Amino acid sequence: MAMSQEQLTVERPTGLESWRDAPPVLFSAEKVSRRVRTLAREIAAARSDRPLTLAVVLRGAFVFAADLIRALIEIGVRDLTVEFLSVASYRGMASDRTRPDVHYVNGIFPGEGRDVLVVEDIIDRGHTLEAIERALSSHCERLRVCALLDRPHLREVPIGPHHVGFTLDTDDFVVGYGLDLDGRYRELPYLGRLPAPPRA
Ligand code: IMP
Ligand code: MG
């Protein structure tokens, strides 16, 4: 089927002419910002009386987490602490991509008596989130998950976030706003998409 000229035109971000090969826009910076502020209200409405720890999953969630924290503070959420995790799926013969390792950046995870909200960039097959839940669930009162992006159609384990920024129904690889492809594009202020999914 022939595509119209309009369909062939790819929206490019404005003000980013100096970015070479800037990926097309999936969600603009303004749209992301509005959604993050709405998410903050949803999270505040669903929280308990217990103090809250945000467990930020490095590195892809760092921009999202920074904006989310400021949005939470702006609407009056207090009793908030921030911790960092990193998740590594090693490649090679000894690796098991379905059981990535979770590392606490501060050595131990101080979640006793607190609610923990995992802040993740994107949930795909679900193995990363499953490993995080396995690692944290016995170290806090209540574990919940907030993901900027969710791609439920690629899920391999029955798991899902409680709060979602945007649900995707395509296989496009998403970059920008903290998300990278081999270390590139994290600095883009919007969420862009790359057509070829370079997944393992
Ligand atoms: P999974 O849910 O275990 O398949 O893996 C999710 C992780 O893969 C995320 O935390 C990201 O680090 C990475 N990832 C998956 N899809 C994308 C994408 O479209 N862009 C950037 N990173 C991605
Ligand atoms: Mg990630």
Side-chain angles (χ1 to χ4, degrees):
M1 192 172 69
M3 289 184 109
S4 71
Q5 187 57 43
E6 199 177 329
Q7 283 172 306
L8 288 172
T9 304
V10 171
E11 189 194 349
R12 293 283 169 190
T14 54
L16 291 172
E17 290 75 14
S18 60
W19 253 275
R20 280 190 59 231
D21 309 323
V25 173
L26 178 62
F27 299 112
S28 69
E30 295 71 26
K31 187 161 185 170
V32 173
S33 169
R34 278 197 301 277
R35 186 70 193 110
V36 169
R37 278 182 273 127
T38 306
L39 265 180
R41 287 196 294 275
E42 291 173 17
I43 291 164
R47 73 171 293 197
S48 76
D49 294 339
R50 286 180 292 271
L52 181 64
T53 294
L54 300 192
V56 180
V57 185
L58 296 175
R59 288 165 286 182
F62 83 103
V63 177
F64 172 45
D67 284 347
L68 185 64
I69 289 162
R70 285 179 290 202
L72 288 166
I73 296 297
E74 205 175 283
I75 59 171
V77 172
R78 298 293 182 264
D79 280 341
L80 200 63
T81 57
V82 185
E83 293 292 330
F84 298 94
L85 310 173
S86 67
V87 184
S89 350
Y90 297 100
R91 286 164 197 245
M93 288 177 67
S95 74
D96 180 354
R97 73 187 180 101
T98 66
R99 286 184 77 92
D101 286 336
V102 177
H103 302 275
Y104 310 130
V105 171
N106 289 331
I108 55 159
F109 190 81
E112 302 304 328
R114 307 181 69 87
D115 287 351
V116 169
L117 181 71
V118 174
V119 181
E120 175 61 306
D121 54 1
I122 177 166
I123 305 193
D124 239 14
R125 295 167 303 151
H127 298 295
T128 305
L129 181 58
E130 186 181 47
I132 291 169
E133 288 199 352
R134 198 185 301 125
L136 293 192
S137 54
S138 58
H139 295 293
C140 61
E141 279 301 309
R142 184 177 79 165
L143 188 69
R144 293 172 74 93
V145 178
C146 173
L148 175 64
L149 298 159
D150 186 18
R151 200 166 7 220
H153 73 280
L154 292 184
R155 204 75 95 243
E156 292 175 3
V157 285
I159 203 166
H162 304 84
H163 303 280
V164 177
F166 302 100
T167 301
L168 305 174
D169 57 8
T170 68
D171 289 359
D172 291 343
F173 197 80
V174 184
V175 292
Y177 197 68
L179 285 81
D180 77 310
L181 171 63
D182 295 335
R184 289 190 66 198
Y185 305 118
R186 283 196 206 280
E187 74 285 7
L188 291 178
Y190 63 98
L191 286 167
R193 60 185 168 80
L194 298 173
R199 284 183 206 88

